[in-house]
Amino acid sequence: MCSFDRVNHDRLMSTLAKRIQDKRVLKLIRAYLNSGILIGDIIVSPEEGVPQGGPLSPVLSNIVLDEFDKELERRGLHFVRYADDCAIYVKDQRTGDRVLKSVTRFLRRKLKLAVNEAKSVVSRPWDAKFLGFRTTRFMGATRTVIHDKSLKRFCKEVRRITARSRGRSVRQIIGELNAYLKGWKPYYQVGVSKTRGNEINAWILRRLRAYIWEQWKLPRTKVRNLKKLGLEQWSAMMLGNTRKGPWRIVRHSHIKHAMPEQLFTQKLGLVLLG
């Protein structure tokens, strides 16, 4: 919503001075705000904004927007805010358009903040993206589910990691996949239903089977490895000599039997959703 590289230093310090009596603390915060940024070989001293990525920046940003929260409460609006992301809930599109204009004007004129026009929109709760999720209602119950854009971004990253052209061992691929999933799961798992989670797991397993199939390359290698995985001679010969591509052939029930979920989770250590 807001761009904190445009925070007015004087206004921020004036707000802090109302609560902080120790001038040494205020002086230290002012020094933090004025700390130079290294661009190439030149140090540039900013005249506005808070240092991006700095440990104090999130606190200062919340202090800046505390006045915004109080203004929304004064207007009697229902809203939720996390850092610079804010969702305001109203009854209809017309009211939403009016509120968007008025709060944008407040942020610009009163708080001296730049507003990200591209991300500031009026839309229905089940379409709007807030912190990677959307709100939906089913049979009178309100649920928080992962937003389609967040899921597409997840799938894109899994496709990149499991791309069959990478030429790495399946253990290396699973290691990278686990690192990504372990970071993704704690945040997004709450918005993934059991049915959707099972679908995602099945898709990941299919990609890994296709990756292994591509690595085997030659028909005789495929036949030999399928037999090692427990398939009978005739089945291994039929599948190993097929002209079907990896993505299609790994849907076969015998391939799934040869490379079951347990092979990936128990032997190779794959982490799945659920």
Side-chain angles (χ1 to χ4, degrees):
M1 180 181 68
C2 301
S3 177
F4 286 108
D5 57 356
R6 298 289 300 278
V7 170
N8 185 284
H9 288 181
D10 291 336
R11 196 178 191 288
L12 173 57
M13 294 307 302
S14 176
T15 301
L16 292 171
K18 295 176 182 177
R19 297 288 188 90
I20 301 174
Q21 304 300 319
D22 194 328
K23 295 189 181 299
R24 294 173 300 174
V25 175
L26 294 172
K27 185 177 180 181
L28 184 62
I29 295 174
R30 171 68 83 167
Y32 171 80
L33 292 172
N34 293 334
S35 60
I37 301 172
L38 184 63
I39 302 178
D41 297 327
I42 303 174
I43 296 179
V44 179
S45 296
E47 296 181 356
E48 57 183 8
V50 295
Q52 297 300 301
L56 192 58
S57 296
V59 177
L60 295 178
S61 299
N62 273 322
I63 291 172
V64 170
L65 287 176
D66 182 63
E67 191 173 345
F68 178 59
D69 294 343
K70 287 182 170 55
E71 175 65 17
L72 296 181
E73 289 172 355
R74 186 187 67 78
R75 297 186 187 187
L77 294 170
H78 298 284
F79 70 97
V80 57
R81 181 179 68 81
Y82 182 85
D84 61 339
D85 283 334
C86 183
I88 303 172
Y89 300 99
V90 295
K91 292 183 178 180
D92 51 53
Q93 178 81 25
R94 184 177 178 181
T95 306
D97 291 333
R98 176 173 55 79
V99 169
L100 177 60
K101 289 180 181 179
S102 64
V103 298
T104 298
R105 186 164 55 248
F106 176 84
L107 289 166
R108 285 175 174 165
R109 295 180 181 178
K110 188 72 182 292
L111 301 187
K112 310 297 183 185
L113 290 172
V115 177
N116 190 325
E117 297 284 357
K119 293 184 178 180
S120 301
V121 296
V122 178
S123 63
R124 296 182 182 277
W126 45 88
D127 294 328
K129 180 169 175 265
F130 184 67
L131 304 177
F133 297 90
R134 64 184 178 88
T135 301
T136 185
R137 286 182 67 81
F138 180 71
M139 297 182 67
T142 301
R143 295 179 56 219
T144 299
V145 299
I146 186 171
H147 197 278
D148 292 344
K149 290 182 179 178
S150 301
L151 190 57
K152 286 180 180 178
R153 187 165 59 248
F154 167 80
C155 292
K156 182 178 179 181
E157 181 61 14
V158 172
R159 286 191 185 96
R160 184 195 68 79
I161 294 172
T162 58
R164 296 194 292 273
S165 60
R166 296 194 67 195
R168 300 187 179 186
S169 71
V170 69
R171 286 188 180 275
Q172 289 177 308
I173 295 299
I174 288 177
E176 289 184 42
L177 195 56
N178 282 348
Y180 178 64
L181 289 172
K182 286 177 180 178
W184 191 88
K185 279 180 62 177
Y187 185 81
Y188 285 106
Q189 183 81 60
V190 68
V192 179
S193 66
K194 184 176 181 180
T195 300
R196 177 62 64 87
N198 289 338
E199 291 173 352
I200 293 173
N201 288 341
W203 176 70
I204 291 174
L205 290 169
R206 185 178 174 186
R207 290 198 63 83
L208 289 173
R209 291 184 184 112
Y211 188 90
I212 292 174
W213 190 263
E214 181 71 20
Q215 281 196 323
W216 287 348
K217 294 186 181 300
L218 298 176
R220 63 174 177 271
T221 305
K222 294 172 182 176
V223 173
R224 183 174 64 251
N225 288 333
L226 287 173
K227 289 172 66 177
K228 286 181 180 179
L229 290 172
L231 291 192
E232 296 181 0
Q233 175 73 22
W234 68 269
S235 182
M237 289 289 292
M238 177 191 68
L239 293 170
N241 288 284
T242 184
R243 291 187 178 183
K244 294 179 181 179
W247 187 243
R248 187 177 175 188
I249 191 62
V250 295
R251 295 183 63 186
H252 198 286
S253 60
H254 289 183
I255 297 292
K256 292 181 180 180
H257 177 75
M259 292 186 277
E261 179 180 321
Q262 292 76 11
L263 170 67
F264 297 97
T265 57
Q266 297 178 13
K267 187 173 182 180
L268 298 174
L270 174 66
V271 174
L272 291 173
L273 303 186

